[in-house]
Amino acid sequence: MREITLSQAVNEAIAEEMRRDPTVFLMGEDVAEAGTPFKVLSGLVEEFGTERVLDTPISEPGFVGMAVGAAMTGARPIVDLMFGDFIYLVMDQLCNQAAKQHYMSGGKLTVPMVLRTNMGATRRSAAQHSQSLQAIVAHIPGLKVAMPSSAYEAKGLMKTAIRDNNPVVIFEDKLMYQDKAPVPEEEYLIPFGQAHIKREGSDITLIGTSSMVQVAEKAAEMLAAEGISAEVIDPRTIVPLDEATLLDSVKKTSRAIVIDEGHQSYGVTAEIASRLNEKAFYHLDAPVLRMGAMDVPVPFSPALEDITVPTPEGVAANARKLCAGEMIHAA
C-alpha cells in the first residue's frame, strides 16, 4: 500500500469530496494561493477555482458565521481555522449557533459544517499558537470532535465529517503533517465513535489521542522489552466516544492510563478516566491514571516547552508503577 503524509491525506480527502459534491466548498485565511501556512491545501484552488476555495479577511467570527449560515441553507462548508488557539474567537458562532440550530429549530435545520484546525505544542510557537483545546468544544452538546492520529485516520475521518449533517470540529496535530502512513487509494470512510486497537496487550491499557497515540505506542515498545504487555487504543473521536471498546480493554487489563495533549485539569483525560472508573470499577486493580499537558501557558523556551507534554518515557514509567502495584496519582 502506498504511503502519504497526513497533510496529503487531508488534501486528498477534501479534493475527493469536492469532486463528489458540488455543495462542498472551502474557506479560511490563506487557503487559496497560499494553501495555508502549513501548505495542507496546496493545489485545491487551481482545480476548483476561487468560487469554491475562498480566501477570507482576517476575521474569524465573520467567516465562521458565514459558514454557519451557508450550512443552514444547503451548502457543506469546510472552514479552515489557521490555528486552534483562534477557536476562542468563534465560540459564539460555533457553540451558540452551529451546535444548537438543529435542536432549537425542532429538527428543521441542520448545520453540516466542518471546522478543521490544529493543535499541539513543541513547535516553538509560544503560548498563543500552541494550545490543544479539544476539551473546550467537546464540552458542547451538538458538536462532534475528531482527532486523527495518522494519515489513514486523517483521510477517513475528514470524509466522514464532510458527509455528516452535524457540525464537526477536527483537530490535526501540527507536528504530524509530514508523518507518513499507509493510505489506500480506493475510497474509505472511518465511522465516528469507532476506536481502533493499535496494539493488543494484557497488562495495561494505554489510551492516547492524536499525537499521543504515537507516544503510547513508543511507551508500549519500551514496556514490551521489560515483559509488560500494553494495549494501545486510539479513540479517533472524543465525541462520540467509543466507550465499549475502551471498557472492554480495561476490564481485560485491569489498569489504564489516558494520555492527551490538552491541559490535564478539566480535560479529555479527566472525562475518559472518570467514565472508566465509574463503569469498570470492579475490574480495576488501580485507579485510572491521566496524563495531560501541564496546567501552564505553553512556554516558548524549548527546554521548558518539551517537559510540559507527556512523553513515552513518562508514560512507561507510570505504567511500570501501576503494574507493580504502586499507587500513584496524576502529577
Side-chain angles (χ1 to χ4, degrees):
M1 189 184 299
R2 64 171 183 158
E3 289 195 347
I4 61 174
T5 65
L6 191 147
S7 175
Q8 291 170 321
V10 172
N11 187 300
E12 199 171 82
I14 293 173
E16 288 178 7
E17 291 304 299
M18 290 181 74
R19 294 181 197 120
R20 186 188 66 85
D21 185 349
T23 68
V24 177
F25 73 95
L26 179 64
M27 65 190 304
E29 297 161 356
D30 290 337
V31 298
E33 282 76 12
T36 77
F38 300 97
K39 306 304 177 187
V40 177
L41 306 178
S42 295
L44 294 180
V45 71
E46 285 79 8
E47 178 175 354
F48 299 103
T50 55
E51 291 187 357
R52 294 183 67 193
V53 182
L54 298 108
D55 272 337
T56 64
I58 304 175
S59 177
E60 288 83 359
F63 65 75
V64 173
M66 290 170 59
V68 174
M72 290 167 59
T73 53
R76 289 186 176 271
I78 305 167
V79 185
D80 183 283
L81 200 60
M82 189 181 290
F83 285 90
D85 313 68
F86 302 165
I87 211 162
Y88 291 123
L89 300 170
V90 303
M91 291 301 282
D92 182 63
Q93 290 79 0
L94 183 64
C95 300
N96 273 337
Q97 306 305 326
K100 296 176 173 60
Q101 288 305 315
H102 187 65
Y103 172 76
M104 296 186 72
S105 68
K108 295 178 181 178
L109 296 174
T110 58
V111 186
M113 177 185 85
V114 177
L115 189 148
R116 66 166 294 270
T117 189
N118 52 50
M119 54 166 279
T122 68
R123 188 176 170 271
R124 319 313 180 208
S125 297
Q128 295 172 325
H129 293 78
S130 302
Q131 299 171 87
S132 299
L133 301 176
Q134 54 272 17
I136 290 178
V137 290
H139 183 69
I140 306 301
L143 299 178
K144 296 184 179 183
V145 185
M147 301 180 66
S149 62
S150 76
Y152 178 82
E153 276 78 21
K155 182 174 182 181
L157 291 172
M158 177 62 74
K159 290 174 75 72
T160 300
I162 294 170
R163 299 187 193 188
D164 200 300
N165 286 328
N166 301 281
V168 179
V169 184
I170 297 184
F171 288 91
E172 301 155 3
D173 192 291
K174 311 187 266 293
L175 286 178
M176 295 174 63
Y177 278 132
Q178 299 309 311
D179 289 359
K180 288 188 175 183
V183 176
E185 293 192 42
E186 60 271 15
E187 182 177 73
Y188 69 96
L189 283 77
I190 295 177
F192 286 174
Q194 187 177 99
H196 180 214
I197 300 175
K198 306 280 285 188
R199 179 188 183 118
E200 293 192 355
S202 57
D203 295 325
I204 188 169
T205 300
L206 305 179
I207 302 166
T209 62
S210 185
S211 60
M212 294 296 103
V213 174
Q214 295 182 8
V215 168
E217 288 180 311
K218 291 175 182 176
E221 291 176 6
M222 296 177 186
L223 294 168
E226 305 166 25
I228 298 174
S229 174
E231 184 148 292
V232 177
I233 302 181
D234 173 11
R236 289 175 167 168
T237 59
I238 55 174
V239 183
L241 181 68
D242 183 358
E243 277 191 10
T245 297
L246 305 184
L247 287 169
D248 286 346
S249 176
V250 172
K251 288 176 181 179
K252 176 179 70 173
T253 65
S254 74
R255 306 173 187 87
I257 301 176
V258 188
I259 314 142
D260 179 77
E261 201 172 336
H263 295 303
Q264 182 152 294
S265 295
Y266 308 98
V268 172
T269 57
E271 177 62 27
I272 296 177
S274 177
R275 295 194 195 190
L276 296 177
N277 279 321
E278 288 174 3
K279 299 180 181 181
F281 180 80
Y282 292 104
H283 298 269
L284 293 171
D285 288 340
V288 176
L289 182 71
R290 55 202 171 93
M291 295 183 67
M294 286 185 186
D295 293 326
V296 297
V298 180
F300 177 69
S301 162
L304 295 177
E305 183 179 21
D306 288 346
I307 62 174
T308 64
V309 297
T311 63
E313 293 77 14
V315 173
N318 283 335
R320 289 187 201 102
K321 292 179 182 179
L322 282 178
C323 291
E326 299 178 26
M327 297 299 291
I328 58 176
H329 60 83

